[in-house]
């Protein structure tokens, strides 16, 4: 017969087993409830995410439709629409978008006019500052330019021809730069419209366009100033007997050139800022876009 101690041990084992079974049942019930709650919350989250995605897609689609209406038939006369489409096709060519291995043209065309204009304006600035510079520096410049006995006149001659070369090579650079600005502005106009884009520019919310305006404004100002000094010299050479073929320049021309030199360096800086700070034209087309 089992002893009292053995009976108590058996009863304790049964109690422990009952408690374990009860705990297991409670754990299973709690796990089931937790799984149900998690499933419900996941379903709710999925529903909310789906609704938000749908709303975002609808909003994007509506904006696209509004932009298409604005361009196709809404605010634009048909004649203007046809003209804009032709301009768009031309500007894309001027951007260098030809074939699968295309390359932006404007960055490749700016080096010659920058070099020619920088050299021309620097010679004029040197001419203006020459009397105040050390003798060894002025002698070096005259030697490099082949001044000889005509020291000052040879600076004018070099400056004149370099300015002409700069103006000539600036034509394709300016044309492609205008195409870049047109396409940048066009994409924003299609998205927001002229009025909203203008307000956004004045608020400072369009840093790329603002930087482009400053770059283009500076470079165009340089071209105007250089054109003035170039054609004034040309006029003197051809119409004033005592100045025939002397490449004459006045102090006014030299001061204008010196101011143009400062503006040129600022415009070149803003052009670099467009690429390196704003990424304009980087990996935009051709093989670079595929690599991106």
């Amino acid at each position: 017969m089992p002893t009292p101690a053995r009976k108590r041990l058996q009863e304790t084992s049964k109690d422990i087993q009952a408690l374990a079974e009860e705990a297991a049942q409670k754990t299973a019930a709690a796990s089931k409830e937790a799984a149900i709650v998690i499933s419900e919350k996941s379903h709710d989250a999925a529903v909310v995410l789906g609704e938000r995605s749908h709303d975002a897609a609808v909003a994007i689609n509506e904006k696209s439709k509004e932009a298409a209406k604005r361009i196709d038939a809404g605010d634009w006369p048909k004649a203007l629409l046809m003209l804009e489409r032709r301009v768009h096709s031309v500007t894309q060519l001027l951007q260098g978008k030809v074939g699968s291995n295309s390359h932006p043209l404007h960055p490749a065309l700016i080096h010659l006019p920058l070099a020619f204009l920088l050299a021309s304006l620097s010679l004029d600035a040197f001419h203006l500052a020459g009397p105040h510079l050390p003798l060894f520096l002025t002698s070096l410049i005259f030697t490099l330019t082949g001044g000889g006995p005509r020291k000052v006149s040879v600076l004018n001659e070099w400056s004149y021809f370099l300015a002409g070369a700069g103006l000539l090579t600036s034509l394709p650079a300016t044309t492609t730069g205008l195409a870049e600005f047109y396409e940048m502005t066009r994409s924003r106009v299609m998205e927001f419209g002229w009025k909203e884009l203008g307000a956004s520019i004045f608020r400072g919310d369009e840093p790329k366009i603002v930087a482009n305006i400053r770059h283009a404004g500076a470079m165009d100002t340089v071209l105007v100033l250089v054109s003035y000094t170039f054609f004034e010299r040309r006029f003197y050479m051809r119409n004033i007997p005592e100045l025939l073929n002397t490449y004459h320049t006045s102090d006014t021309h030299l001061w204008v050139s010196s101011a143009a030199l400062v503006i040129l360096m600022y415009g070149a800086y803003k052009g670099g800022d467009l690429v390196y700070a704003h990424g304009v034209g980087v990996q935009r087309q051709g093989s670079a876009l595929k690599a991106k």
Side-chain angles (χ1 to χ4, degrees), residues 95-200:
Q95 280 189 302
K97 294 181 178 180
V98 180
S100 59
N101 194 26
S102 57
H103 185 283
L105 291 179
H106 184 65
L109 295 173
I110 61 173
H111 300 89
L112 286 177
L114 271 178
F116 288 137
L117 293 175
L118 180 63
S120 174
L121 298 175
S122 297
L123 287 176
D124 282 347
F126 172 78
H127 186 176
L128 182 65
H132 309 286
L133 296 177
L135 181 60
F136 79 90
L137 182 58
T138 56
S139 298
L140 176 63
I141 297 296
F142 287 135
T143 301
L144 292 176
T145 55
R150 302 185 306 136
K151 293 181 179 179
V152 174
S153 63
V154 78
L155 292 183
N156 298 336
E157 185 177 349
W158 274 89
S159 176
Y160 173 81
F161 285 109
L162 286 168
L167 291 173
L168 185 63
T169 55
S170 69
L171 294 176
T174 303
T175 304
T176 53
L178 180 62
E180 292 284 350
F181 179 73
Y182 178 84
E183 286 298 318
M184 179 187 295
T185 308
R186 180 183 186 273
S187 63
R188 305 303 285 172
V189 170
M190 288 183 64
E191 186 174 357
F192 299 112
W194 281 109
K195 292 182 179 179
E196 188 172 344
L197 177 62
S200 181

Side-chain angles (χ1 to χ4, degrees), residues 10-171:
Q10 290 177 349
E11 290 174 357
T12 302
S13 299
K14 289 180 180 179
D15 292 340
I16 292 173
Q17 185 177 2
L19 289 173
E21 290 177 355
E22 184 179 356
Q25 290 176 356
K26 289 182 178 181
T27 301
S31 299
K32 186 176 181 180
E33 290 177 0
I36 292 173
V37 171
I38 292 172
S39 177
E40 290 176 351
K41 289 186 176 180
S42 299
H43 175 71
D44 294 341
V47 170
V48 171
L49 182 61
E51 290 176 352
R52 290 181 178 178
S53 300
H54 176 70
D55 293 342
V58 170
I60 292 172
N61 189 34
E62 288 177 354
K63 283 188 176 181
S64 300
K65 288 181 178 179
E66 289 175 3
K69 287 179 180 178
R70 190 158 49 239
I71 293 296
D72 286 337
D75 302 335
W76 293 52
K78 289 186 177 180
L80 184 60
L81 173 63
M82 293 178 62
L83 176 62
E84 194 283 328
R85 285 178 174 171
R86 291 182 179 179
V87 171
H88 174 56
S89 63
V90 172
T91 52
Q92 284 196 312
L93 290 176
L94 292 174
Q95 280 189 302
K97 294 181 178 180
V98 180
S100 59
N101 194 26
S102 57
H103 185 283
L105 291 179
H106 184 65
L109 295 173
I110 61 173
H111 300 89
L112 286 177
L114 271 178
F116 288 137
L117 293 175
L118 180 63
S120 174
L121 298 175
S122 297
L123 287 176
D124 282 347
F126 172 78
H127 186 176
L128 182 65
H132 309 286
L133 296 177
L135 181 60
F136 79 90
L137 182 58
T138 56
S139 298
L140 176 63
I141 297 296
F142 287 135
T143 301
L144 292 176
T145 55
R150 302 185 306 136
K151 293 181 179 179
V152 174
S153 63
V154 78
L155 292 183
N156 298 336
E157 185 177 349
W158 274 89
S159 176
Y160 173 81
F161 285 109
L162 286 168
L167 291 173
L168 185 63
T169 55
S170 69
L171 294 176

Side-chain angles (χ1 to χ4, degrees), residues 202-278:
F202 280 107
R203 289 195 305 267
D205 296 335
E206 296 289 341
K208 288 184 181 180
I209 294 181
V210 172
N212 206 332
I213 291 173
R214 290 174 178 172
H215 165 66
M219 302 310 286
D220 290 344
T221 301
V222 169
L223 293 178
V224 171
L225 296 178
V226 172
S227 298
Y228 163 73
T229 60
F230 178 82
F231 287 105
E232 277 285 285
R233 289 178 183 178
R234 190 173 180 82
F235 173 80
Y236 287 154
M237 290 167 54
R238 294 196 171 190
N239 296 280
I240 301 179
E242 60 270 22
L243 298 177
L244 290 178
N245 300 320
T246 61
Y247 306 99
H248 171 77
T249 187
S250 64
D251 287 345
T252 301
H253 294 164
L254 297 179
W255 279 108
V256 169
S257 294
S258 299
L261 177 62
V262 176
I263 300 172
L264 175 68
M265 290 189 288
Y266 172 77
Y269 165 77
K270 295 306 294 183
D273 188 56
L274 280 170
V275 176
Y276 296 110
H278 300 289

